[in-house]
Amino acid sequence: MKIWIGIIFLFVVFFAQFATAKYISGEIRIDENGFATFNVKTDVEIQADGLEFKNEGATGRTDSFTEKSGSIWTFSLKEGNYDDIFLDIKLPIATQKITSIQGNRYLFDTEENVLTLIDSGELDFEVSYIVRERTNYNFIYYLIGILLLTLVF
């Protein structure tokens, strides 16, 4: 009986190294220009320009996952199947409105503009949003400068 337990134990230990759970967790921060900064842990390499995969992590900055149509930005993440998905997707601070969210299960922090994906299975997520346009007031500085110059001379 002890021999069988020993054989089963060795069998489990030997084959346990081949049973891997695919996971992805961490943070993706999107800026107003559509660039996503990745700081995620994963055992599956994410292929995109600007990302580096090492030590079971993907880091870097890329615009490969965002696109803009008119005033609407769309961030799409379609990266295969995972046993565990836990990602914080931080939308730009200047996000004015979210127009649609599709895909994986998520929680949304409205104060921080953070979507937290908590799921398993296929990573297929898309969010569309509108960013407030920044008003450029540089012309006022030029106008004040011209007025000061005319007053001095």
Side-chain angles (χ1 to χ4, degrees):
M1 180 70 165
K2 290 182 182 180
I3 293 175
W4 281 108
I5 293 174
I7 291 172
I8 291 172
F9 176 75
L10 289 174
F11 181 79
V12 169
V13 170
F14 178 73
F15 284 104
Q17 63 185 340
F18 299 111
T20 60
K22 293 178 8 179
Y23 68 92
I24 186 167
S25 66
E27 176 182 284
I28 302 170
R29 184 180 299 266
I30 307 168
D31 68 18
E32 287 86 9
N33 298 316
F35 281 91
T37 302
F38 279 67
N39 187 14
V40 300
K41 294 290 184 190
T42 180
D43 56 351
V44 179
E45 186 172 357
I46 299 172
Q47 296 289 329
D49 290 339
L51 294 185
E52 181 179 10
F53 183 81
K54 64 180 179 181
N55 299 330
E56 292 194 356
T59 57
R61 188 168 185 255
T62 183
D63 63 351
S64 298
F65 299 98
T66 53
E67 63 181 45
K68 186 175 182 184
S69 176
S71 63
I72 298 176
W73 284 96
T74 301
F75 175 79
S76 298
L77 195 57
K78 297 172 182 13
E79 287 298 318
N81 286 310
Y82 291 91
D83 295 317
D84 295 309
I85 300 169
F86 187 77
L87 285 173
D88 283 339
I89 300 174
K90 297 187 175 190
L91 298 176
I93 294 171
T95 298
Q96 180 178 1
K97 178 182 176 183
I98 294 176
T99 58
S100 72
I101 303 174
Q102 300 173 2
N104 297 91
R105 290 182 294 183
Y106 64 91
L107 301 172
F108 183 55
D109 181 348
T110 55
E111 291 180 15
E112 299 292 326
N113 283 342
V114 177
L115 290 157
T116 301
L117 304 184
I118 305 171
D119 210 344
S120 62
E122 186 174 351
L123 178 54
D124 185 2
F125 184 78
E126 183 175 286
V127 59
S128 297
Y129 56 93
I130 298 173
V131 176
R132 272 189 301 280
E133 295 293 326
R134 291 186 176 191
T135 306
N136 187 350
Y137 293 109
N138 287 341
F139 71 93
I140 292 176
Y141 298 119
Y142 295 120
L143 184 61
I144 291 172
I146 291 171
L147 287 173
L148 287 174
L149 286 174
T150 56
L151 289 174
V152 171
F153 296 110

